[in-house]
Amino acid sequence: MADVAKEAGVSHQTVSRVLNDHPNVRADTRARVEEAIVRLGYRRNLVARALVTKRSRTLGVVSFDTTLYGPASMVYGIEQAARTAGYFVSIVSLKSIDAASVRDALDYLAEQSVDGVVVVAPQRSAASALESLPAGVPAVVVEGAHGADVSAVCIDQVEGARLATRHLLDLGHETVWHVAGPSDWLETEGRVEGWRATLEAAGRPVPEPLPGDWSPRAGYAAGRRLAGMDGVTAVFAANDQMALGVLRALSEAGVPVPGRISVVGFDDIPESEFFSPPLTTVRQDFDVVGRHCIEVLLRQIDAGPAAYERMVVRPSFVVRSSTAPAR
């Protein structure tokens, strides 16, 4: 920094003000300092900066099963929001959800002196593991259990399922069959709840949900069963990947979609508009979730966790060609 100051003909303090985007620097002085930074190839010493500010400008993220679209998109949204806010991100992806694994991940992040932690915890079994969060460490949980004493940001899964089910009922379908996700997932619980409540409120039959595991293979198996059943005209799959499997099974069985059976998914993955037919689905805005996570976390970092916050992001509904009025 002293070399930059000498090159630009300014004081060390002026260089510091430019680097920290302080408003009280003349435009020509700022330009001169920035040109000197480029010429000299100056880079901040983040370790030294952390010693002075007591902040590492790094946030930790603990995630589970980032091979799935939802968790992977969630982590990406958090990372992008953190970088926009001027923070680096250190990610730990765990294979299993248990208190010991979470504790090890948090210990690893603590060794890196992260300023705060985001935990992507979409499974019910993660609830007890969240007790491993050390007191005093700013933390936010994404899709976390409702009872945890920690700030949380989540998407309204119940509302998303309600939108999907209501859309099919409004098209004149007598009831809606559901291909559910894995039983331990909070998203599964929310989507089943929204689907069932909407049918019950309309006084419609509530079929037994078909089990799934988020994979196209599970959707394919469910689709084969549905293709051989009488009276099925509408299906709501708990994610787009399972909806893809349902579409494949129905196509092989000669069941036209949406001619005989309408299909709705959940997630709005990038490929869903290119399915055959293009998939009607519930869209989750992971960028908004990521932004809210970082906003809540930075408030805790700046002011301390005075009160736990819970932010709920409303999903939207995308109508494409896989649904049509009942015949």
Side-chain angles (χ1 to χ4, degrees), residues 198-270:
T198 304
L199 290 179
E200 290 176 346
R204 305 298 177 84
V206 182
E208 187 68 23
L210 280 70
D213 61 6
W214 303 132
S215 71
R217 184 180 299 277
Y220 180 78
R224 286 174 62 91
R225 289 180 57 187
L226 292 166
M229 298 166 61
D230 294 330
V232 177
T233 67
V235 179
F236 164 42
N239 75 336
D240 289 352
Q241 296 287 352
M242 291 195 298
L244 174 61
V246 170
L247 291 174
R248 170 68 180 272
L250 295 179
S251 176
E252 288 183 356
V255 177
V257 175
R260 190 180 124 193
I261 296 180
S262 290
V263 178
V264 175
F266 203 112
D267 279 341
D268 194 27
I269 64 176

Side-chain angles (χ1 to χ4, degrees), residues 3-163:
D3 292 336
V4 172
K6 181 178 179 180
E7 178 77 8
V10 298
S11 69
H12 179 279
Q13 289 80 6
T14 298
V15 175
S16 178
R17 284 195 288 270
V18 170
L19 290 171
N20 290 291
D21 201 25
H22 198 283
N24 295 333
V25 180
R26 289 169 45 186
D28 59 335
T29 301
R30 184 182 301 276
R32 200 161 67 249
V33 171
E34 290 174 345
E35 290 170 2
I37 288 172
V38 173
R39 282 197 301 273
L40 297 178
Y42 170 78
R43 296 290 183 274
R44 291 189 182 195
N45 186 325
L46 296 179
V47 175
R49 177 181 172 84
L51 290 173
V52 174
T53 64
K54 307 302 182 184
R55 292 188 181 180
S56 64
R57 304 295 295 183
T58 301
L59 303 177
V61 176
V62 180
S63 184
F64 312 98
D65 202 351
T66 49
T67 60
L68 294 171
Y69 175 78
S73 299
M74 201 78 74
V75 170
Y76 180 77
I78 292 167
E79 183 179 16
Q80 293 303 304
R83 293 180 68 175
T84 299
Y87 281 77
F88 298 98
V89 173
S90 180
I91 300 173
V92 180
S93 182
L94 301 180
K95 291 183 179 180
S96 61
I97 301 177
D98 55 68
S101 297
V102 174
R103 187 164 49 249
D104 289 345
L106 294 172
D107 288 345
Y108 171 78
L109 292 171
E111 291 173 358
Q112 299 184 43
S113 301
V114 297
D115 296 331
V117 178
V118 178
V119 182
V120 181
Q123 291 167 280
R124 176 63 62 183
S125 56
S128 60
L130 295 179
E131 298 174 0
S132 301
L133 288 170
V137 174
V140 176
V141 176
V142 183
E143 299 295 343
H146 294 255
D149 291 332
V150 62
S151 292
V153 178
C154 62
I155 293 174
D156 193 336
Q157 307 293 336
V158 174
E159 172 65 9
R162 190 197 68 79
L163 290 172

Side-chain angles (χ1 to χ4, degrees), residues 136 276-277:
S276 181

Side-chain angles (χ1 to χ4, degrees), residues 130-325:
L130 295 179
E131 298 174 0
S132 301
L133 288 170
V137 174
V140 176
V141 176
V142 183
E143 299 295 343
H146 294 255
D149 291 332
V150 62
S151 292
V153 178
C154 62
I155 293 174
D156 193 336
Q157 307 293 336
V158 174
E159 172 65 9
R162 190 197 68 79
L163 290 172
T165 309
R166 187 72 259 171
H167 169 73
L168 291 166
L169 294 181
D170 288 344
L171 288 173
H173 296 279
E174 175 63 20
T175 191
V176 179
W177 288 76
H178 182 50
V179 183
S183 60
D184 188 45
W185 285 65
L186 295 167
E187 284 96 336
T188 297
E189 294 179 11
R191 294 170 197 179
V192 169
E193 178 185 342
W195 161 77
R196 176 177 283 116
T198 304
L199 290 179
E200 290 176 346
R204 305 298 177 84
V206 182
E208 187 68 23
L210 280 70
D213 61 6
W214 303 132
S215 71
R217 184 180 299 277
Y220 180 78
R224 286 174 62 91
R225 289 180 57 187
L226 292 166
M229 298 166 61
D230 294 330
V232 177
T233 67
V235 179
F236 164 42
N239 75 336
D240 289 352
Q241 296 287 352
M242 291 195 298
L244 174 61
V246 170
L247 291 174
R248 170 68 180 272
L250 295 179
S251 176
E252 288 183 356
V255 177
V257 175
R260 190 180 124 193
I261 296 180
S262 290
V263 178
V264 175
F266 203 112
D267 279 341
D268 194 27
I269 64 176
E271 299 83 5
S272 62
E273 64 178 309
F274 301 103
F275 287 0
S276 181
L279 184 66
T280 296
T281 187
V282 179
R283 174 180 293 161
Q284 303 189 83
D285 196 330
F286 296 110
D287 290 339
V288 171
V289 173
R291 187 166 68 248
H292 285 331
C293 277
I294 299 306
E295 289 171 355
V296 171
L297 191 58
L298 294 186
R299 280 197 289 272
Q300 290 191 30
I301 292 171
D302 291 337
Y308 297 121
E309 298 182 58
R310 183 169 183 83
M311 301 186 71
V312 180
V313 177
R314 181 184 170 89
S316 57
F317 196 67
V318 182
V319 179
R320 297 194 179 102
S321 306
S322 65
T323 54

